[in-house]
Amino acid sequence: MKLQFSVKQIVATLGAVYLASVSLTASAVLIDGIEVGSGGNFHFLTSTIMERKVGGGLISAVGDQLEGVGQVTQIFDGANLVWSSGDNGRELTLSFSGYTATSVSPSHITFDGGLVSFYSDPAQDANFGTGTGFTNGNLWMQLVGTEFTDLATGLDSTLVSDGTLLGSSISGTGIGLLSVTGAGLADSFFDTNSQVALGTGNVADWEINSSFNNTPSPFLFGTHGTANISQNAVPEPASLMLVGLGLLGLAGTIRSRKS
């Protein structure tokens, strides 16, 4: 018998499979009061981060260590805003430390190491003027720096800064890679290995992009700015299984019509 299987029928079948897979992940996920969407392209936006050299001042020499704190103000799943600071009576704060300078020039600094911890807190008491209230609450997510090869220096680094980085007037940008440690409440949800590190081939879960300066401000630390922490979408195994079953069903339909 001649096979009669129109493009329209194929599109309709695949469309049904897609809608079923979307419905599988459509419900939002709530982790300790923080809503994170359903598993898409995540973006954590911070309104403010503060950073400094351990002991005070600016990074100026190899061996200096960077530390700081910040607060997540919004979480996006793709283009959808899924959580803002204060929703469900929670704040999401972060602290970072252990970033050690491995090369320093007036326009380029590389770091290795790094530990970033996020805390979910019902107290909503983070205070940039005093530097307090950033590490209380529940450990929500914990990340370590993941090495990639810095093209400018050839060094394997976890964080790279560019801009005007030495002297009295500081401004620049930073980019780095991070992987969950498994210690935080949300770590398993974000353990996607969705970022592939340049040069090293390491896999990471998050990319961080930041901008900073040291213009006068009411903040405790002299250098401050903003950050965008993002993660690529990775299909959940259940969704992949459903799509696979749908395609097998489509193949079965074709075989049935052939017979």
Side-chain angles (χ1 to χ4, degrees):
M1 178 182 293
K2 183 178 180 181
L3 174 64
Q4 297 291 334
F5 203 79
S6 68
V7 172
K8 184 177 181 181
Q9 287 172 308
I10 294 174
V11 171
T13 302
L14 291 177
V17 171
Y18 171 75
L19 290 175
S21 67
V22 169
S23 66
L24 190 68
T25 59
S27 58
V29 176
L30 194 68
I31 304 175
D32 198 39
I34 309 297
E35 192 164 313
V36 295
S38 58
N41 289 297
F42 293 110
H43 302 277
F44 287 25
L45 302 184
T46 73
S47 61
T48 305
I49 55 172
M50 298 192 303
E51 59 187 22
R52 66 180 178 184
K53 180 178 70 175
V54 173
L58 302 171
I59 300 294
S60 59
V62 171
D64 286 350
Q65 288 197 342
L66 185 70
E67 65 177 359
V69 295
Q71 183 173 17
V72 177
T73 53
Q74 294 179 317
I75 297 177
F76 288 84
D77 182 359
N80 301 314
L81 175 64
V82 295
W83 183 84
S84 295
S85 184
D87 287 355
N88 304 320
R90 313 292 289 193
E91 70 176 5
L92 187 61
T93 56
L94 64 102
S95 68
F96 56 93
S97 61
Y99 282 106
T100 303
T102 54
S103 69
V104 177
S105 77
S107 61
H108 193 76
I109 299 177
T110 62
F111 297 87
D112 202 10
L115 177 69
V116 184
S117 300
F118 291 76
Y119 297 88
S120 170
D121 185 14
Q124 301 183 64
D125 57 351
N127 188 321
F128 285 100
T130 62
T132 59
F134 292 94
T135 58
N136 53 338
N138 298 321
L139 181 60
W140 192 80
M141 183 167 64
Q142 189 176 68
L143 310 172
V144 291
T146 302
E147 288 187 339
F148 59 93
T149 301
D150 172 42
L151 294 179
T153 61
L155 295 174
D156 289 345
S157 308
T158 58
L159 179 69
V160 172
S161 294
D162 287 291
T164 303
L165 306 178
L166 299 179
S168 59
S169 181
I170 302 298
S171 64
T173 59
I175 185 169
L177 290 179
L178 297 159
S179 299
V180 298
T181 66
L185 296 172
D187 282 17
S188 60
F189 184 79
F190 293 117
D191 187 10
T192 63
N193 295 328
S194 57
Q195 308 280 350
V196 179
L198 176 69
T200 64
N202 294 330
V203 291
D205 303 308
W206 291 97
E207 177 183 301
I208 182 169
N209 291 273
S210 64
S211 60
F212 53 87
N213 60 67
N214 70 332
T215 55
S217 74
F219 304 136
L220 178 67
F221 296 176
T223 306
H224 55 275
T226 62
N228 175 16
I229 306 167
S230 58
Q231 180 179 88
N232 291 338
V234 174
E236 294 183 358
S239 298
L240 292 174
M241 180 181 70
L242 185 56
V243 172
L245 289 175
L247 293 176
L248 286 174
L250 177 59
T253 302
I254 294 175
R255 287 196 298 269
S256 176
R257 288 175 179 260
K258 281 184 176 179
S259 64

